[in-house]
Amino acid sequence: AADSRCGPGGGGMNLPGRARSGLNDVALQLRRQPIVEKTRGQWVEDVVAWCRQQDIDLGMRLSSQSLRFDAELLAQIDSVLASAHLAPLGRSLSGLSSAAQAKEGVEEDKATREGPRAWRVLLNLPPQPTPGLASESRCSRDVDVRHLTLGAFGALVQVENLDSFYAFNPNISALSGYAQPLIAYRGDSHYGGGFAHLAEVWRKTRRPHLYAGDFDAKGVTLALDSGATHLLLPDMAWLTQHATPLHQPAGQLPYQRRLRQLHVSLPPQHPLRPYLTLLEKQRGLKQQWFEGELVAVGIG
């Protein structure tokens, strides 16, 4: 027999995520038709169970096979959500930060929420004197990519290693032609997602994007994947003397195939060719060992 009435109230007020998603779809369909009937699959069963907890009378809408939705039923569900300070139907919490979810109500969807660092990047900036802190030649700051005015920066400099990022000084000849270079940490599990957003919006500016990182097969591949237009490296003469097999381990061999393909595709006089030749000899150098003047090597 059909279960025509929800049972006694009780239990949690949160509407399960898949039930909310299903109801959001139903709400859209009800704009075009007066009734929407859904088979009693898993998300519908979640709705039925939730209704039982909230004393919402499904009446003849519920049969052993399906549940019929109409505007009145969704209005009742919305009323209960509102009284519990939960987001109304039609407001998806998926992808929102915890703060944004909080504005929708007390409900939180941890599985799909946007991480607090999703848009954050770590920048190396000119000194900003602060009372109580000793002055430094440079300072680092965690900022939201969406708050940057990219037109103020002449070039983006992506720094691979965190220690090199903190020590990076943009007052070098390779960057002298760019007004106010934007120095950003490439990121790790904490900041990698934010830098990906920055690289994406920076690409649209069509301005130089320089990669300062390890001179090894993986480092050059990371630069290519990030959309960098140049590598910041020691000049070829110095690097030839100091590159070592110790800094180009066998574990990086999988990256070499792509670089060899790039190598053969470049014109004979391309500035990147001698650097790729050095890498093919299984010689590299970690960024922390760079000395002397850096040069910008085009990779486009």
Side-chain angles (χ1 to χ4, degrees):
D3 184 358
S4 62
R5 169 131 186 125
C6 297
M13 298 290 282
N14 282 353
L15 184 62
R18 58 190 172 190
R20 177 179 287 277
S21 178
L23 287 169
N24 286 345
D25 290 339
V26 166
L28 291 175
Q29 294 176 55
L30 285 173
R31 294 178 183 177
R32 302 186 297 270
Q33 59 196 77
I35 293 174
V36 173
E37 188 163 350
K38 294 292 183 181
T39 302
R40 291 183 65 165
Q42 188 58 63
W43 76 265
V44 173
E45 291 299 330
D46 287 346
V47 171
V48 172
W50 188 82
C51 284
R52 289 198 176 102
Q53 294 176 337
Q54 315 311 327
D55 277 336
I56 294 177
D57 186 2
L58 296 177
M60 298 303 294
R61 298 183 182 97
L62 184 66
S63 72
S64 60
Q65 300 297 321
S66 64
L67 176 61
R68 284 182 287 113
F69 296 90
D70 53 34
E72 182 183 356
L73 175 57
L74 264 63
Q76 291 181 59
I77 293 173
D78 259 337
S79 177
V80 173
L81 293 174
S83 67
H85 303 289
L86 300 175
L89 297 180
R91 302 277 184 87
S92 174
L93 301 179
S94 179
L96 298 180
S97 66
S98 291
Q101 289 184 15
K103 292 179 181 178
E104 297 290 352
V106 297
E107 196 173 7
E108 181 182 27
D109 186 349
K110 289 187 176 182
T112 61
R113 73 178 179 187
E114 181 182 78
R117 288 195 182 94
W119 288 87
R120 310 296 296 191
V121 288
L122 198 60
L123 300 181
N124 174 315
L125 298 168
Q128 299 173 339
T130 304
L133 291 178
S135 61
E136 297 180 280
S137 59
R138 303 286 295 178
C139 75
S140 59
R141 185 174 173 184
D142 174 318
V143 305
D144 189 311
V145 171
R146 295 166 292 190
H147 296 165
L148 290 171
T149 303
L150 297 183
F153 306 99
L156 170 64
V157 180
Q158 174 186 182
V159 186
E160 178 181 347
N161 299 292
L162 187 57
D163 50 358
S164 298
F165 163 81
Y166 286 128
F168 192 90
N169 190 329
N171 297 318
I172 57 177
S173 61
L175 298 178
S176 61
Y178 306 118
Q180 195 175 340
L182 178 62
I183 316 300
Y185 175 44
R186 180 182 71 87
D188 43 29
S189 58
H190 295 302
Y191 289 102
F195 184 84
H197 286 305
L198 175 58
E200 181 179 355
V201 294
W202 183 266
R203 189 176 294 113
K204 298 175 183 177
T205 71
R206 299 185 179 277
R207 295 182 182 182
H209 171 178
L210 300 96
Y211 186 92
D214 297 338
F215 176 64
D216 55 23
K218 182 178 180 181
V220 175
T221 299
L222 289 172
L224 292 169
D225 288 343
S226 70
T229 59
H230 297 76
L231 298 174
L232 270 180
L233 293 171
D235 68 73
M236 193 63 215
W238 186 93
L239 194 57
T240 300
Q241 290 184 349
H242 294 86
T244 169
L246 294 175
H247 289 195
Q248 178 72 291
Q252 295 211 3
L253 282 173
Y255 297 98
Q256 288 283 26
R257 181 179 178 183
R258 178 180 174 187
L259 297 187
R260 281 196 285 277
Q261 292 173 338
L262 172 63
H263 193 174
V264 299
S265 72
L266 295 174
Q269 302 305 315
H270 196 286
L272 186 60
R273 287 184 68 98
Y275 288 92
L276 295 178
T277 297
L278 197 55
L279 289 178
E280 288 173 8
K281 295 177 180 178
Q282 283 303 110
R283 295 172 62 195
L285 196 66
K286 298 296 183 186
Q287 184 179 13
Q288 295 88 340
W289 274 258
F290 291 179
E291 293 179 12
E293 200 67 50
L294 298 179
V295 296
V297 182
I299 60 178

